[in-house]
Amino acid sequence: MTSRTTAADAAGSPYEAPVNEQECQEFRQTMELAGRRWSAAILYAAVAGARRFVEYRRAVRGISDRLLTLRLRELEQQGFIAREVVPTMPVQILYSPTPAGAELVAAMQPLGEWGRRHRDVLERQPPD
């Protein structure tokens, strides 16, 4: 039986308790998914109400059209963004967060709050 390492444990030595390998792998996979460049910003824009491509482009400043298209496709394939084709003239493509996407954004909110409290730490970090 393995025990969990908590945030309180992290204040001491992180090696005092065995790490649950399954939880560690799930945490790593989640952080890599959410931390992929532009993914979190796109998901946040979706939860904030962006639906059309141009709205995402406006909300996620600095992203190229090509990369926005790629990330939207990836997020759709992963089940975080739903894509709807509206048969109008011209055809409209609408994107919206899935329940899993909205839940992931809600789970990331504390990280944003941490960032607001620790801007000095974030500003010291080299850009990726």
Side-chain angles (χ1 to χ4, degrees), residues 40-104:
I42 292 166
L43 283 171
Y44 186 83
V47 170
R51 293 294 172 262
R52 298 179 64 204
F53 187 88
V54 68
E55 294 169 338
Y56 283 92
R57 190 174 55 209
R58 225 178 285 131
V60 183
R61 293 193 179 134
I63 192 169
S64 69
D65 287 356
R66 184 191 66 77
L67 194 51
L68 177 56
T69 299
L70 178 65
R71 288 293 183 263
L72 284 167
R73 283 184 189 148
E74 290 171 352
L75 291 167
E76 179 188 5
Q77 289 171 351
Q78 293 162 336
F80 296 110
I81 293 279
R83 181 177 183 265
E84 176 187 359
V85 178
V86 181
T88 57
M89 285 303 255
V91 171
Q92 287 186 23
I93 309 291
L94 303 177
Y95 301 93
S96 59
T98 63
E103 185 179 352
L104 181 57

